[in-house]
Amino acid sequence: MTSFLHATIIAGTPLFLSTLGEILNEKAGNLNLGVEGMMLMGAVAGFLAAKGTNNAFLAILCSILFGCIGALIYAFLTITLRANQTVTGLALTIFGSGISSFIGQNLSGKVVPDRVKYFLSPIKLPLLGDIPFLGKVFFTQDIIVYFSYILAFAAAFYFYKTRIGLNLKAVGENPYAADAVSINVALYKYVNILAGGALCGLSGGYLSLIYVPAWQNNITSGRGWIAVALVIFAAWNPCKALLGAYLFGGLDIIGFRIQDGFISKYFLDMLPYLVTIIILTLFSFKRSKKNSPPKFLGLPYFREER
Amino acid sequence: MKKIAVFLLCAVLIFTFAGCSNSSNTQSQKEDKKVKVGFIYVGPIGDGGYTYAHDQGRLYLEKELGVETIYKESVKEDKAEVEKVVEDMIDQGATIIFGTSFGFQEGLLSSAKKHPDIKFLHCSGYETAENMGQYFGKIEQMRYLTGIVAGLKTKTNKIGYVAAFPIPEVIRGINAFTLGVKSVNKDATVKVVWTNTWYDPAKEKDAAIALIDDKCDVITQHQDTAGPQQAAESRGVFSIGYNSDMSKTAPKANMTSAVWNWGPYYVKTVKEIMDGTWKSGKYWGGIEDGVVDIAPLTQVAPENAKEAVEKAKEDIKSGKLVIFKGPIKDQTGALKVEDGKTMTDDEVWNMDYFIEGVEGSIPKK
């Protein structure tokens, strides 16, 4: 049981990072379907940097940077040029997977250098790690996992307790109103979308540097799409996103541990998606404001058209 | 007036281009008498696994016979898509076309009917035609050999098998592997988990981790990624690879791999076609033809394994050792193949049950 939960946290972490990235995007009113692409760009860049420099810190930085570059393309097209967000996002996914295959074509099967692996291996936290059961599950992990715990609460604080968080909400809900009270809509959108891209890149880097840790073409295998679904599941709330990511991660791997005809494997495989559909349905019944998407999600903002 | 002008201009352009391409085509066909061979792949050649192995065969063919080859990667397993690729290859002058995935069957068959002068060869299917043959390899022979290595290595007597989909090809491999394990270690069992993926490195690694948590100390796999190898490497247990030699991906864990070696088959077939001696049919090659092989044992493999593997390999080659030979019992203990009887190729091809010693179940439809 402990080992299962331990594995769940690891399986959930890349999902959480990219989910939080997408939440940042959507809070700013931009539906970014390029998560998978940004993850792949981050994954390949991080892997290449690890190979080239043998330095874990630089590798992670490179992942983040490449995620940002992907997001920058998207942000420029959708904010400055006001292109269709859905199409741009899909294009970014295709572009990201293409470029990662292209750069990684000679890297298949290569492994992350030992020095990087060692630096990123699980660390037992003093005191916290000694708590029976919980210590093993939550506090004997690698640094990115610890970082993701902090991130969940930091993001919640940012969204719900700070002035800029409130402004961001205004940008997503009604950019015209936000603009009227002199909030710089484009700046808010750019900053949050780039931060979101950074998280998606980090999530890809987590896969190629820590989770697998070797390069394989299309290493994300659709996790970016699960993240997009998770955003809805989590109702744009970072703490719920953390729980949701662990739930989805756990469901993804539970099948390997209870396989003997107990529950059908195929049923388990579809469970995360089924849960998402049910939650979506429930939300639309409840019509609560708390759980509804930002009003201007997916719509371009034209300043002149009032 | 303007519209007519544009239309005329377009027409002129189209005709000139068509004219150009036609003339250049016939020219090139006259000039090079070299045979051109086309390969249609299901994945990228850099997958380090299944498609990579086929592509190594293509390169070997180029080197050995000096023929020209063309290939197309990541082709969808879709009839129209395959037909399109075939037409394109024929346009480029290909006269022999290999399709390496099961799902290409329909597309290849209809193209074969349309182009009786082109030879088609399809991997792992069952449809044949006058100008379309089938080919596949007995990788289960290599599963048996790697099973010997696993059986000698395991201390906990539990071996983990990360399997892709419950189809005969995979089931056959698991059974052959288990027979190999049993031949040297009666007490060991093989535990199977299904991932329902061919290609998801992270998930396949997780499946292997689950097996290791369940006390398995040797891991093998039937997937196109090296995820399970990584799991063994990070947990300090041992592993056996598949498709191509995976020792570099997991140097501390990997003991050997069951590998495809398509080169000799491609050379043999293309040569036959060039000589005019080729006949359509079903080719199912084994170690005796060199289509399948076992990668060299690494340092972490048990010491006595090399000898045992070599001996079994020779016995398979000479026909002394037949893998699916009775008595074979299924998981419930019921006798499936009587003592001394061997299974026919057809029976082996359609195996749909686990034998005694396999832990796990085949999902029912």
Side-chain angles (χ1 to χ4, degrees), chain B residues 77-294:
Chain B
E77 294 188 303
D78 170 76
K79 192 178 167 200
E81 189 79 18
V82 173
E83 282 171 351
K84 213 174 75 193
V85 175
V86 168
E87 290 303 323
D88 188 43
M89 285 184 165
I90 293 174
D91 258 2
Q92 291 181 53
T95 51
I96 304 169
I97 291 173
F98 289 94
T100 63
S101 186
F102 183 81
F104 296 161
Q105 184 158 269
E106 271 182 64
L108 288 176
L109 192 66
S110 80
S111 299
K113 283 186 182 136
K114 218 166 122 195
H115 299 279
D117 47 333
I118 309 283
K119 300 280 185 283
F120 292 87
L121 288 129
H122 177 232
C123 187
S124 77
Y126 50 86
E127 296 274 14
T128 54
E130 189 85 338
N131 58 332
M132 175 166 153
Q134 288 289 345
Y135 68 102
F136 204 50
K138 295 179 177 169
I139 196 75
E140 56 273 18
Q141 292 178 338
M142 299 305 107
R143 293 283 186 199
Y144 183 90
L145 296 185
T146 54
I148 294 175
V149 180
L152 290 172
K153 186 74 185 181
T154 179
K155 292 243 160 50
T156 58
N157 281 338
K158 273 184 104 168
I159 297 164
Y161 202 121
V162 186
F165 287 93
I167 56 173
E169 179 191 337
V170 179
I171 293 167
R172 192 157 76 226
I174 293 168
N175 285 340
F177 181 81
T178 308
L179 286 172
V181 171
K182 290 274 176 198
S183 73
V184 291
N185 186 345
K186 288 263 176 291
D187 303 323
T189 54
V190 175
K191 189 173 158 92
V192 177
V193 295
W194 303 104
T195 60
N196 288 342
T197 57
W198 283 116
Y199 200 98
D200 184 342
K203 194 167 180 180
E204 285 146 20
K205 183 185 174 187
D206 275 328
I209 293 276
L211 285 168
I212 296 166
D213 283 339
D214 199 32
K215 307 244 165 13
C216 294
D217 64 349
V218 177
I219 296 292
T220 188
Q221 62 175 94
H222 193 134
Q223 252 104 17
D224 295 354
T225 81
Q229 308 292 315
Q230 291 302 330
E233 179 94 351
S234 71
R235 289 297 188 92
V237 302
F238 302 97
S239 66
I240 289 164
Y242 171 56
N243 273 327
S244 54
D245 190 345
M246 288 181 166
S247 58
K248 284 210 187 87
T249 353
K252 278 180 288 196
N254 185 277
M255 300 192 289
T256 182
S257 308
V259 300
W260 292 103
N261 183 23
W262 293 108
Y265 165 75
Y266 286 144
V267 169
K268 182 175 96 87
T269 310
V270 171
K271 219 174 181 171
E272 279 177 10
I273 293 174
M274 282 159 74
D275 297 344
T277 56
W278 181 81
K279 270 203 192 77
S280 167
K282 285 182 187 169
Y283 172 86
W284 199 16
I287 180 80
E288 56 277 14
D289 303 346
V291 171
V292 291
D293 208 347
I294 179 166

Side-chain angles (χ1 to χ4, degrees), chain B residues 45 56 146 288 298 314 363:
Chain B
I45 56 171
Q56 290 298 308
T146 54
E288 56 277 14
T298 63
E314 285 312 312

Side-chain angles (χ1 to χ4, degrees), chain B residues 3-21:
Chain B
K3 266 184 193 165
I4 297 171
V6 169
F7 177 78
L8 281 177
L9 202 67
C10 285
V12 168
L13 276 175
I14 287 167
F15 280 115
T16 16
F17 276 127
C20 277
S21 65

